[in-house]
Amino acid sequence: MARGGINKALVEQARQNLLSRGENPSIDAIRVELGNTGSKTTIHRYLKELEAAEVTRLDDEALLSQPIKELIGRLAATLTEEARSIVKDNEQSCQERVNNVLEELRCAKEENAQLSEQLTFANNQVQTLADTLEAAKSSNNQLEKQANEHIVELSSLNASLNEKQQHIESLEEKHQHSREALQHYRDSVKEQREQDIRQHEQQVQSLQVEIRNLNQTLSIKQTDITQLNKDNARLVSELSQLRKQGNEQDSLLTQLNTELQELKSKNSRLTTVTEDHHIIKRQLTQTDKQVHDLTIANAKLESEIQVKSDMLKQLIKAKQEVTPERESFREN
């Protein structure tokens, strides 16, 4: 916001502000410092008055005695030396802090790279284990399906075996009835053996043929039963093997679940370390800001020292210029 007008005090304050920042107090710079207010002619006039006042103060200082001048010179030299020492110490301290911060930043970057590699490796392991677990689940489901199919087939074979056993028992019962009938027939026709012997022999032969047929049928059924028993034993063995494979798959599934939990725990720890790394990065950012602030403060201090050094040089030069005039005045 522009001011209503300027005066000598405002111009002097703006000039001192520019000198304290190490800038040249030109007319344009002072006008900008005053908020682009005031004419350049007025600012030039006030600057001339201020410079004349400073020259007058230097002339007044030239009237000081020699011991005071020497004291001022030694004091100026001491102040300059102390200022240089302070600047040098501040530069060394700032440089050490900058080096420490850079070293910490390098270590943090290396640690971040290592953590990123570990996190990538852990994610790959988790994905591999997840794929293996999915394949194991699919294989286990297929084995369970095959086992169920074999159980159904075994049940069907057992039912068929029971039916064949009942059929054999029925045949044996018929055979027994035939024998009983034959014995009963023999007993009943003893008296008529002679007259009916041919018919009896024919009947016996017929019955023997039937018995042979029944025996053959029984032998075939027993062979079928033996084969069914073998098939039953084979299916029982296959079912036992499938159950064993299922148990192995369950054990592998449990192991994979355990490894997956461990990897999830490692992933959680890596996440915590990543958060700590973000905190360190924020701290490094704050440290960089502090280094920047110290650099600005150091620049301001050097500027002030330069201004004071220039003033001392002007003071010494003015004293040297005034001394011959005073000697000339004394001689007159």
Side-chain angles (χ1 to χ4, degrees), residues 7-54:
N7 52 35
K8 185 177 180 180
L10 293 175
V11 173
E12 183 178 7
Q13 182 64 36
R15 182 172 178 272
Q16 292 297 328
N17 292 337
L18 292 172
L19 290 173
S20 65
R21 294 199 300 268
E23 299 178 4
N24 183 27
S26 62
I27 295 174
D28 293 331
I30 290 175
R31 193 170 186 276
V32 172
E33 185 70 18
L34 292 173
N36 293 323
T37 302
S39 65
K40 294 184 179 181
T41 303
T42 304
I43 294 173
H44 179 69
R45 177 167 54 81
Y46 286 148
L47 284 176
K48 286 293 185 181
E49 293 177 359
L50 291 172
E51 291 176 356
E54 286 185 357

Side-chain angles (χ1 to χ4, degrees), residues 85-247:
S85 177
I86 291 172
V87 170
K88 185 176 180 180
D89 292 340
N90 287 335
E91 288 179 350
Q92 292 178 353
S93 177
C94 290
Q95 187 63 36
E96 290 177 357
R97 294 185 64 182
V98 169
N99 292 335
N100 292 332
V101 169
L102 291 176
E103 182 64 22
E104 291 177 359
L105 180 61
R106 185 184 65 80
C107 294
K109 288 181 178 180
E110 292 179 356
E111 184 179 359
N112 185 27
Q114 293 177 358
L115 292 175
S116 298
E117 291 178 358
Q118 293 178 3
L119 182 60
T120 302
F121 180 73
N123 289 332
N124 292 334
Q125 284 187 333
V126 169
Q127 184 62 37
T128 302
L129 288 176
D131 295 339
T132 305
L133 180 61
E134 186 65 26
K137 287 182 178 178
S138 177
S139 178
N140 190 27
N141 292 332
Q142 186 175 2
L143 289 175
E144 289 181 355
K145 183 179 179 180
Q146 292 178 357
N148 292 329
E149 291 177 353
H150 285 297
I151 290 172
V152 172
E153 184 179 357
L154 181 62
S155 299
S156 177
L157 290 175
N158 287 329
S160 177
L161 180 63
N162 292 329
E163 290 178 358
K164 291 182 181 299
Q165 187 67 30
Q166 291 177 359
H167 183 63
I168 290 170
E169 291 177 355
S170 176
L171 291 175
E172 290 178 350
E173 184 178 359
K174 289 180 179 180
H175 189 199
Q176 183 65 29
H177 291 167
S178 297
R179 287 179 178 179
E180 292 177 355
L182 179 59
Q183 186 65 32
H184 179 72
Y185 176 76
R186 287 175 179 177
D187 292 338
S188 63
V189 297
K190 279 182 178 181
E191 295 179 357
Q192 300 177 0
R193 184 183 298 272
E194 293 178 355
Q195 59 182 356
D196 297 332
I197 189 166
R198 291 180 181 177
Q199 183 179 359
H200 176 69
E201 288 177 355
Q202 292 176 356
Q203 291 177 354
V204 169
Q205 290 176 357
S206 177
L207 289 173
Q208 287 176 350
V209 171
E210 184 177 356
I211 290 171
R212 283 197 300 269
N213 291 331
L214 290 174
N215 287 329
Q216 290 177 357
T217 302
L218 179 61
S219 177
I220 293 172
K221 296 302 180 183
Q222 287 178 347
T223 303
D224 293 338
I225 291 171
T226 302
Q227 185 63 35
L228 288 174
N229 288 330
K230 291 180 180 180
D231 293 338
N232 189 16
R234 180 178 58 80
L235 291 174
V236 170
S237 176
E238 291 179 358
L239 180 60
S240 177
Q241 185 66 25
L242 289 174
R243 288 179 178 174
K244 183 178 179 181
Q245 291 179 359
N247 292 331

